[in-house]
Amino acid sequence: MNAPVRVRFAPSPTGYLHIGGARTALLNWLWARHTGGKFVLRIEDTDRERSTDEAVAAILDGMRWLGLDWDEGPGVGGPFGPYFQMQRLDLYREYAERLVRGGKAFACYCTKEELDLQREQARAEKRQFIYPGTCRDLPYDPSRRHVIRFRLPKLEEVTFTDLVKGAITRPASTLQDEVIVRADGVPLYNFGAVVDDVTMEINLVARGDDHVNNTAIQVLLYEALGYPVPAFAHLPMILGADKTRLSKRHGATSVTAYRDMGFLPEAVVNYLVRLGWSHGDQEIFTGSELVEHFGFDHVGATAGVFNPEKMVWVNQTWMKSLPPAELAARSLPYYRAAGLEVEGDPRLPEVVRAFQERAKTLVDLVTQSRCFFAPVEMDPKAREKFLGPDAAPILLGIRDGISATATLDAGVLEKLFHDVAAARSLGLGKVAQPVRVALTGGTASPGIYDVVLLLGREESLQRIDAALRLCAG
RNA sequence: GGCCCCUUCGUCUAGCGGUUAGGACGUCGGCCUCUCACGCCGAAAACAUGGGUUCAAGUCCCGUAGGGGUCACCA
């Protein structure tokens, strides 16, 4: 009765892994993991014009980064391979021939040009163009260049059930004898996908919303082939702020771009799943929580607007929750990309801890903490405002205090800063800000005592001395 | 244009006939405070619209409007 779940993600390798594709892959993966089923990755590379090996690599790279491992597919193989459509051509030919022999498909000799002309004519007459069945009853002549068309059965309408949208019905009058195999023998999407889903024993097809209109003809294909129709789940699109389909002009759309911007994969996964799926009021989910709770019954039917601000919040929330050592390890490639070699630096975990709840992304973390691993880059505005002549005596006081103390710790520093402030009847801020600018080059940083401690006595003294010279003019 | 799908705060959503319509992001106030964050407290903010069904409708049905998708020898 209940066969083990087999789902698949079937991208066409025409570009990087798009945010929308990633979500489709993710939900399939979650369902497989939730049910203990199999997650199959299949590459639909039958569009030879646009498919590239680089795109395949980019997609696999994106999926690995998100942690979406596949049970069958490129690299891992599996019992239903190969998992590239261009390596399954014999299979499609066999199934197409079966259809032709059974009278359920036929050879069509119309040329692209003839059909384009007819289409144009129909448009001129404001008529819907539907293939008129020109070659429907012609004898089969393999020597003539031809495509294979599916012979649309006589029926009123086609209905199927969608796990997220419910029953969907389409009048047969809007369907036509689709071409299923090109003249060069390469199958078209509707046919290749069906044959593969049949032979790979896929029993739930979860894919983008933009495929609902293909589903009716596919249902008919399953029936013509004599196989059970799988369950369908059509996932709503991801929109940009203007409510049109998310695209480049809305900003970054590839998952690896988010990696490069310093997002944690956990956060991207978390955000993407929550966009269109919910579990009560919960916002933050670990991977295992997602696997535990995910189900198509709570996938919404409405398209969702991609909200970068919320994704940043999710990312920041995740960064705060990671152990500092873990966060430090994750930040290494980002420091490297910024030209800072911090691996093995004993201060790294402490520095990361100091910025953990201040940074929104890993890139932000690196940017903010830069002054601990590189010379001070003095912000001119900060200098002008906080390193004037009146700052000199304050800096001097702190400088002397630090150099006079044998062992620095937070308690000592707190007393020192308070004493300097009290001696001049100033608020603590009047003392801390000039020192902060002297030590970091800017006006925002972790607590000033932490900054001194992180920098250490010698470096702190040097930086204050340098600032003193600036005060002097 | 035909067909298909969708419609709760600006955004993501909870709701599955009876709720002061809840949460989150963002926004705005306040608290905390050495800066920036974090955290905490509070506020503004939604059932597209018109008809039904029902004692009762955000929840069910129909229409309208709006939005999206799709109409290839692309996927």
Side-chain angles (χ1 to χ4, degrees):
Chain A
M1 178 77 190
N2 286 326
V5 166
R6 290 183 57 83
V7 292
R8 46 63 157 192
F9 175 54
S12 61
T14 56
Y16 50 71
L17 180 59
H18 187 274
I19 277 290
R23 190 179 59 147
T24 301
L26 178 53
L27 300 198
N28 273 291
W29 180 85
L30 283 173
W31 186 239
R33 295 294 170 260
H34 176 82
T35 58
K38 298 292 186 196
F39 176 57
V40 179
L41 177 60
R42 176 174 79 225
I43 306 297
E44 305 207 331
D45 52 356
T46 54
D47 182 349
R48 288 132 106 196
E49 303 279 304
R50 299 190 300 151
S51 297
T52 65
D53 293 343
E54 292 71 43
V56 173
I59 289 167
L60 302 193
D61 183 38
M63 288 184 64
R64 287 196 195 95
W65 180 65
L66 290 174
L68 307 182
D69 55 323
W70 49 99
D71 303 304
E72 297 171 26
V76 301
F80 302 100
Y83 293 90
F84 287 80
Q85 288 192 319
M86 285 309 286
Q87 293 169 25
R88 301 168 66 81
L89 260 25
D90 290 346
L91 194 65
Y92 309 125
R93 187 170 306 124
E94 180 192 327
Y95 278 75
E97 274 169 18
R98 196 196 290 183
L99 250 21
V100 173
R101 276 200 304 274
K104 292 172 174 171
F106 60 92
C108 173
Y109 310 98
C110 298
T111 64
K112 184 103 166 67
E113 291 67 33
E114 290 168 344
L115 291 166
D116 283 345
L117 200 67
Q118 291 172 32
R119 252 189 290 272
E120 208 172 302
Q121 227 157 53
R123 192 175 33 226
E125 296 166 24
K126 298 195 167 176
R127 208 182 65 227
Q128 297 301 314
F129 175 75
I130 284 190
Y131 173 72
T134 319
C135 307
R136 254 197 159 198
D137 301 308
L138 262 33
Y140 182 42
D141 178 1
S143 69
R144 286 178 71 187
R145 187 177 171 82
H146 65 278
V147 301
I148 305 290
R149 280 185 188 271
F150 175 57
R151 187 188 303 274
L152 193 69
K154 291 186 184 62
L155 72 186
E156 288 297 305
E157 55 185 33
V158 181
T159 298
F160 63 94
T161 305
D162 189 283
L163 262 39
V164 348
K165 294 175 191 295
I168 296 177
T169 300
R170 177 156 178 197
S173 60
T174 63
L175 265 18
Q176 64 173 350
D177 296 338
E178 279 315 318
V179 359
I180 56 176
V181 181
R182 294 175 172 91
D184 63 2
V186 177
L188 249 32
Y189 169 72
N190 279 319
F191 189 60
V194 167
V195 170
D196 285 343
D197 286 338
V198 160
T199 55
M200 292 179 180
E201 298 181 9
I202 301 301
N203 44 29
L204 167 59
V205 173
R207 82 242 279 203
D209 211 333
D210 48 339
H211 287 296
V212 280
N213 289 303
N214 291 320
T215 309
I217 200 81
Q218 289 182 15
V219 166
L220 262 19
L221 247 9
Y222 279 101
E223 290 171 350
L225 254 14
Y227 289 95
V229 178
F232 292 100
H234 286 100
L235 312 169
M237 307 263 86
I238 298 180
L239 274 24
D242 60 358
K243 303 245 187 180
T244 63
R245 194 187 188 131
L246 189 67
S247 71
K248 269 144 292 202
R249 57 198 176 75
H250 295 110
T253 54
S254 88
V255 305
T256 43
Y258 286 91
R259 173 182 63 193
D260 296 344
M261 284 186 275
F263 284 82
L264 260 14
E266 292 93 328
V268 175
V269 163
N270 191 150
Y271 177 73
L272 250 24
V273 178
R274 260 302 273 115
L275 210 197
W277 172 83
S278 60
H279 179 66
D281 285 340
Q282 191 171 346
E283 296 286 350
I284 301 298
F285 295 85
T286 62
S288 53
E289 283 175 321
L290 289 175
V291 167
E292 183 187 347
H293 297 303
F294 180 75
F296 287 100
D297 50 338
H298 279 92
V299 172
T302 53
V305 174
F306 183 78
N307 184 337
E309 282 83 34
K310 183 150 183 179
M311 191 156 102
V312 167
W313 174 79
V314 172
N315 194 64
Q316 187 169 16
T317 305
W318 265 96
M319 284 181 68
K320 283 189 296 184
S321 74
L322 247 36
E326 169 76 13
L327 192 57
R330 304 261 202 127
S331 69
L332 252 27
Y334 296 88
Y335 278 110
R336 193 165 302 131
L340 301 171
E341 195 43 68
V342 299
E343 191 160 6
D345 189 320
R347 295 172 308 154
L348 183 63
E350 290 305 306
V351 171
V352 166
R353 191 204 300 276
F355 285 95
Q356 187 157 15
E357 50 191 30
R358 280 166 234 270
K360 296 179 186 302
T361 64
L362 289 166
V363 167
D364 190 29
L365 172 68
V366 169
T367 306
Q368 287 196 47
S369 63
R370 183 176 190 87
C371 67
F372 288 93
F373 304 107
V376 170
E377 292 165 29
M378 186 58 66
D379 170 21
K381 284 207 191 72
R383 174 191 169 176
E384 189 180 342
K385 184 164 181 194
F386 293 104
L387 296 182
D390 48 340
I394 296 170
L395 290 176
L396 219 44
I398 296 296
R399 201 219 104 93
D400 291 346
I402 289 175
S403 80
T405 310
T407 47
L408 288 177
D409 62 45
V412 170
L413 287 168
E414 185 175 4
K415 182 169 190 312
L416 171 61
F417 274 71
H418 276 99
D419 287 349
V420 170
R424 312 181 65 82
S425 303
L426 295 169
L428 194 54
K430 295 289 181 196
V431 177
Q433 267 322 68
V435 178
R436 187 185 319 279
V437 173
L439 296 181
T440 69
T443 56
S445 83
I448 192 65
Y449 314 139
D450 288 333
V451 172
V452 174
L453 261 16
L454 251 17
L455 249 19
R457 188 227 282 295
E458 290 315 310
E459 182 65 23
S460 295
L461 290 176
Q462 278 179 33
R463 290 187 181 190
I464 292 174
D465 285 339
L468 245 13
R469 288 192 288 276
L470 292 177
C471 292

